[in-house]
Amino acid sequence: EPEVTQTPSHQVTQMGQEVILRCVPISNHLYFYWYRQILGQKVEFLVSFYNNEISEKSEIFDDQFSVERPDGSNFTLKIRSTKLEDSAMYFCASSSASTSGYNEQFFGPGTRLTVL
Amino acid sequence: AQSVSQHNHHVILSEAASLELGCNYSYGGTVNLFWYVQYPGQHLQLLLKYFSGDPLVKGIKGFEAEFIKSKFSFNLRKPSVQWSDTAEYFCAVNALRDTGRRALTFGSGTRLQVQP
């Protein structure tokens, strides 16, 4: 069964450093997402990406964040200058391009980011 | 904007007990509703979904949920839980057909602990 994969599973970084979190969505999916979950809090939407551009973003997704699809398989989230409050589990998800008004999002296992 | 409330934060049951987890959402229009499960150490997996039609939906592993539009609710049920159902359960909603937005809004989750 196809699945979304993410690397690394755990990333530790120093405050102010740049990190890149990587995801490989399901191969025939066209929508890609990033969500995050700060420990003990809700899963929160960050951004969605379609047709090589951002289609939606939340207020959390500020200028320090960026997303890219550098090739035909990877989807990355870059945090330019990490802050302590960026410590969270980051989930990638993907979905097909349904025209019926419904989309099921398939989630990856997550990358736990720890900012020291 | 949508919001989702899950009032049960932590539920402890014995095996074979019946389960009902509450989920209420706030949005007056047409919604897609989801229940995701996260087993310890694993990624979010879709349990079931409501898009339209029969408000009683059946998912995997014997779970079902009932959409009650008048109550803005989508409660998850299982007649007889097993130890292997120990996990965190997340309710989520989007209003794709009304808003064109694919982002999922999640509840805060309910941790279910089933004792053998």
Side-chain angles (χ1 to χ4, degrees), chain A residues 29-32 48-55 69 75 95 97:
Chain A
H29 284 181
L30 298 177
Y31 284 89
F32 315 118
S48 65
F49 191 85
Y50 172 72
N51 201 25
N52 284 320
E53 60 183 25
I54 291 173
S55 52
R69 188 152 163 83
F75 178 53
S95 68

Side-chain angles (χ1 to χ4, degrees), chain A residues 3-7 22-26 34 74-75 92 107-110:
Chain A
E3 56 183 26
V4 177
T5 59
Q6 291 185 243
T7 54
R22 291 184 166 79
C23 168
V24 179
I26 293 172
W34 285 102
N74 289 284
F75 178 53
C92 176
F107 284 79

Side-chain angles (χ1 to χ4, degrees), chain B residues 1-5 23-33 67-73 92-101 103 105:
Chain B
Q2 306 104 48
S3 66
V4 179
S5 297
C23 172
N24 288 91
Y25 65 92
S26 66
Y27 181 73
T30 304
V31 291
N32 297 328
L33 293 155
F67 170 52
I68 304 179
K69 189 172 182 178
S70 60
K71 294 185 177 180
F72 297 89
S73 70
V93 64
N94 82 0
L96 174 61
R97 283 168 286 172
D98 282 2
T99 66
R101 296 186 70 244
T105 300

Side-chain angles (χ1 to χ4, degrees), chain A residues 2 4 10 18 20 34 38 46 48 52 54-55 57 63 73 79-80 101 109:
Chain A
V4 177
H10 192 187
E18 175 183 286
I20 297 176
W34 285 102
I38 295 171
L46 292 177
S48 65
N52 284 320
I54 291 173
S55 52
K57 61 181 181 178
D63 291 344
S73 59
I79 309 175
R80 248 178 286 281

Side-chain angles (χ1 to χ4, degrees), chain A residues 1-42:
Chain A
E1 186 178 325
E3 56 183 26
V4 177
T5 59
Q6 291 185 243
T7 54
S9 57
H10 192 187
Q11 172 93 47
V12 180
T13 189
Q14 296 290 327
M15 191 169 55
Q17 295 296 304
E18 175 183 286
V19 294
I20 297 176
L21 310 183
R22 291 184 166 79
C23 168
V24 179
I26 293 172
S27 63
N28 62 345
H29 284 181
L30 298 177
Y31 284 89
F32 315 118
Y33 312 83
W34 285 102
Y35 292 80
R36 78 172 184 191
Q37 185 181 26
I38 295 171
L39 189 64
Q41 298 186 24
K42 293 184 180 189

